[in-house]
Amino acid sequence: MASTSLRPRALVPLITVIGATGTGKSQLAIDLALHLRGEIINADAMQMYKGLPILTNKMPEGERMGVAHHFLGGVGVGEVGRVGGWVGGVRGVIEEVRARGNTPIIVGGTHYYVQELLYPAAVCTVGGGEEGMGMGMGEEGGGGGGGEKPPPSLSSEELAARYPILASPPTTILQKLQQVDPVMAARWHPNDYRKIKRSLEIYYLNDCVPASEVYRRQQVSKKKSSNTNNTTTSTTTTTATTATPGYRNLIFWVHSEMPVLEKRLDERVDNMVNLGLFEEIDEMWGEYLRRGGRVEEGGEVDLEKGVWQSIGFKEFLPYLEKVEGLKRVGAEGEEKVKVEKELEELKREGLERMKNSTRRYAKQQIKWIRIKFMNAMRMEEEEEEEKEKGEEEIVEGEGGQNKKGKRSILYLLDSTNPKEYQERVSKPALEIAKRFLAEGGGTAGLPDPFGMSRLAGEMLVPKREYDVSTRPDLWVRRVCEVCGVTTVEDEGWARHVQSSRHKRSVRGRRKKEEGLRWKELRESGALERGVGGEVEVEVASSTDGGEGDVGKEA
């Protein structure tokens, strides 16, 4: 009779490069690949689409130095990339690259994708896993119902045809979500229509199981899967391993200080214009027209999905629509001069919107790392420590078995000064990577990440010690009746009631109500009769956290 025993599973060493747009991630990946026999696996959702090399900031072919790239430019414009498909494909490619004796290197700024690959238990996704540039649990979802039968694959349009309420106004959809899934309804700001609608879609896709319950099941399922994946089941006749590999992670975060980065990003947009940005925008505009325009106008284009999310198209829609209108009506003489000036102004405004969107996106990427990504690393480390007490973990290497060390280690590399890039980014990263690989993914002997630079010491501390998206107990919607601001978690509410805006509004409301009270006293004759004295007015929402009406604080 076959006997069965469990032993720790060898974890595969993996190098990943993350960071905000414009910091030099791609260059570091090339430098590492050239010295480590590397092959690069793209983790930028927009760069997975075909064409549009300028708009999506693909590294030019001539700058890739002959290094093989995977998941770059393979998805059609009419398709929608999904995180689940990417993760599954990447796991296979990692094994193929290693089988060739080469080093797989993940690089990209879609941190949602990277986190799902490295720390799947920390990301809850439902309904196909569409890529997204925004942030938040279930942004577009992916996967099934946490080990249950996956929901049918239906587009938003097919789902709306089956459940007409999904085509209703935002307030109606929010009311329905509050009825069927109050937990998720409390998670989203009332203005986050896309996320509110997606939560209701998930409810219908999963046979009327609330999205909050689907997420809970997913977390349980992923944690069980993670626990299983760290062991190999051995019998006298076979050795079976789970389908999902585990990794020992060396992660390089390429980062520049924000004032410098913002200037660099603005200059990059200007350079994109010189390289042919508007030719690519015109190309997208032609495709946009062939597809009948936006979904809201009866067309096929959803500006929140697929390559249409790319920064640099929707920002120019007012300009493009004006140009298209002129093709139909034309203009001559003074009118033509006037129209040309108007077009130049619309183009200038579009460029400014593009710069603003790019800067905002860079901040979102950094925020994701410092809240979601770092907390996912911490959660994994805590689970590993609890699970492997008293056990020696096997890691691959010449010695066969090394000191355990941390399963993941994150280094911040300061790319603020381009002249110091080799010295402060490429050189230390290469030295660390060589040691990491020589030890088969062992991290115990690597340098202290906090000692790499002043910036590392500041930024490698999580912005907060938890990720709100994994804490349903913190999803509480509060509405300030004084300022017209809604928050969806405690930290945001505390920040609002201490803000100068709120305090000014409270003072203004108090003065207004005191004035009305004095007016009432005068009109009633109470002042002439000597009645009133000191007048006290209680304001409904002060800094102790009262609730009130709707709006969204920046």
Side-chain angles (χ1 to χ4, degrees):
M1 183 175 175
S3 62
T4 302
S5 62
L6 291 178
R7 61 181 176 81
R9 179 184 180 181
L11 299 174
V12 176
L14 184 63
I15 298 173
T16 300
V17 182
I18 61 174
T21 184
T23 54
K25 300 184 298 295
S26 298
Q27 184 58 55
L28 176 58
I30 292 289
D31 292 347
L32 291 171
L34 290 174
H35 290 85
L36 303 173
R37 291 186 58 181
E39 296 185 33
I40 292 174
I41 299 173
N42 171 51
D44 183 304
M46 295 301 101
Q47 292 182 6
M48 294 176 197
Y49 290 92
K50 294 177 181 177
L52 308 173
I54 298 169
L55 203 65
T56 60
N57 285 293
K58 291 187 179 78
M59 176 172 273
E61 188 75 39
E63 296 179 16
R64 297 177 196 171
M65 307 297 288
V67 175
H69 281 65
H70 304 271
F71 294 91
L72 192 66
V75 182
V77 172
E79 302 175 73
V80 176
R82 298 186 182 278
V83 65
W86 180 83
V87 169
V90 166
R91 285 174 177 153
V93 169
I94 288 172
E95 295 305 313
E96 292 170 7
V97 172
R98 286 171 50 79
R100 290 191 286 270
N102 293 340
T103 304
I105 301 170
I106 311 291
V107 59
T110 306
H111 300 136
Y112 171 58
Y113 275 41
V114 176
Q115 187 169 322
E116 174 67 14
L117 174 69
L118 305 186
Y119 312 112
V123 179
C124 289
T125 52
V126 180
E130 200 172 291
E131 92 292 353
M133 295 180 70
M135 299 170 63
M137 183 173 110
E139 174 67 10
E140 274 300 331
E148 308 221 337
K149 182 179 178 181
S153 179
L154 295 175
S155 68
S156 295
E157 293 73 23
E158 292 169 330
L159 203 58
R162 185 175 297 184
Y163 302 101
I165 192 172
L166 293 170
S168 301
T171 52
T172 304
I173 293 178
L174 176 57
Q175 288 170 358
K176 181 63 176 179
L177 184 63
Q178 288 170 334
Q179 292 173 10
V180 301
D181 192 353
V183 174
M184 288 308 297
R187 171 71 181 104
W188 306 126
H189 189 282
N191 292 351
D192 285 331
Y193 170 64
R194 183 184 175 201
K195 297 175 185 177
I196 292 168
K197 182 180 178 182
R198 186 58 184 160
S199 294
L200 191 58
E201 287 178 341
I202 291 167
Y203 169 77
Y204 288 122
L205 278 170
N206 288 273
D207 295 327
C208 297
V209 175
S212 55
E213 174 61 16
V214 174
Y215 289 136
R216 187 194 66 77
R217 295 178 188 176
Q218 270 197 347
Q219 282 189 311
V220 171
S221 177
K222 286 183 175 182
K223 286 180 179 179
K224 287 180 179 177
S225 175
S226 177
N227 291 342
T228 303
N229 288 338
N230 285 325
T231 62
T232 301
T233 303
S234 303
T235 70
T236 56
T237 56
T238 63
T239 299
T241 60
T242 59
T244 305
Y247 304 109
R248 288 185 66 82
N249 299 300
L250 172 60
I251 305 161
F252 294 117
W253 172 13
V254 187
H255 180 70
S256 297
E257 295 191 75
M258 189 51 66
V260 174
L261 180 59
E262 289 183 333
K263 184 174 183 294
R264 186 186 301 163
L265 293 174
D266 286 351
E267 291 172 349
R268 187 177 75 178
V269 171
D270 291 334
N271 189 48
M272 289 167 71
V273 174
N274 298 329
L275 293 172
L277 172 66
F278 283 99
E279 285 80 354
E280 290 191 1
I281 291 174
D282 288 341
E283 180 185 336
M284 284 193 75
W285 177 246
E287 186 68 24
Y288 176 90
L289 294 177
R290 281 190 291 275
R291 295 175 180 275
R294 287 177 250 195
V295 170
E296 306 91 90
E297 300 166 352
E300 301 175 9
V301 176
D302 187 337
L303 295 175
E304 301 297 330
K305 293 183 179 180
V307 75
W308 302 103
Q309 295 178 89
S310 298
I311 295 173
F313 177 70
K314 56 184 173 293
E315 287 79 7
F316 289 95
L317 279 176
Y319 165 76
L320 294 167
E321 289 166 350
K322 184 69 174 180
V323 171
E324 192 65 26
L326 283 173
K327 289 179 182 178
R328 292 193 292 268
V329 300
E332 296 181 358
E334 292 184 3
E335 181 65 21
K336 183 178 180 181
V337 173
K338 179 182 176 182
V339 167
E340 287 176 348
K341 288 183 178 179
E342 184 179 350
L343 286 176
E344 283 302 311
E345 179 61 19
L346 287 173
K347 183 183 282 190
R348 186 197 65 77
E349 290 173 356
L351 282 169
E352 192 57 40
R353 281 192 293 270
M354 184 176 178
K355 291 177 180 178
N356 288 337
S357 295
T358 305
R359 293 193 298 266
R360 185 165 57 249
Y361 180 50
K363 291 175 181 177
Q364 288 177 342
Q365 290 173 299
I366 295 167
K367 183 178 178 182
W368 185 289
I369 293 172
R370 294 197 68 196
I371 295 178
K372 294 178 177 292
F373 198 86
M374 286 185 179
N375 277 293
M377 283 183 61
R378 178 185 55 78
M379 287 169 58
E380 179 208 55
E381 201 63 39
E382 290 174 354
E383 290 172 6
E384 287 292 308
E385 289 174 0
E386 183 65 29
K387 185 169 52 186
E388 297 185 8
K389 282 180 179 176
E391 292 183 358
E392 282 292 330
E393 180 186 359
I394 294 176
V395 294
E396 297 180 355
E398 295 178 4
Q401 193 164 354
N402 300 313
K403 290 183 179 179
K404 177 181 174 183
K406 292 183 177 181
R407 181 170 169 178
S408 293
I409 191 164
L410 173 65
Y411 287 93
L412 182 143
L413 302 170
D414 186 355
S415 65
T416 303
N417 187 343
K419 295 179 180 179
E420 298 178 346
Y421 187 89
Q422 287 298 319
E423 191 64 29
R424 305 195 67 162
V425 180
S426 291
K427 184 178 177 180
L430 184 57
E431 291 174 353
I432 292 168
K434 285 180 176 178
R435 290 172 63 179
F436 174 76
L437 294 175
E439 295 296 324
T443 61
L446 297 182
D448 177 16
F450 288 88
M452 297 293 290
S453 66
R454 172 193 58 81
L455 199 57
E458 294 174 2
M459 299 295 290
L460 286 176
V461 178
K463 197 167 183 178
R464 61 174 176 235
E465 293 300 320
Y466 59 90
D467 176 1
V468 173
S469 69
T470 64
R471 293 282 305 276
D473 57 305
L474 299 178
W475 300 352
V476 181
R477 179 184 296 159
R478 293 186 177 89
V479 196
C480 179
E481 65 179 16
V482 178
C483 308
V485 166
T486 297
T487 65
V488 291
E489 39 90 9
D490 288 340
E491 186 176 294
W493 179 254
R495 190 165 55 246
H496 169 67
V497 296
Q498 293 301 324
S499 68
S500 56
R501 173 186 177 183
H502 176 76
K503 292 175 181 177
R504 283 196 306 270
S505 297
V506 169
R507 287 195 298 269
R509 178 164 176 166
R510 182 175 290 114
K511 286 182 180 179
K512 182 177 179 180
E513 294 191 354
E514 286 176 351
L516 289 173
R517 176 64 172 153
W518 278 107
K519 182 179 179 182
E520 290 173 0
L521 289 171
R522 283 197 302 270
E523 290 175 351
S524 67
L527 291 179
E528 285 76 3
R529 295 195 303 272
V531 179
E534 292 291 328
V535 178
E536 295 184 4
V537 180
E538 183 177 349
V539 179
S541 178
S542 63
T543 56
D544 63 0
E547 300 184 357
D549 52 88
V550 178
K552 189 171 185 178
E553 186 170 31

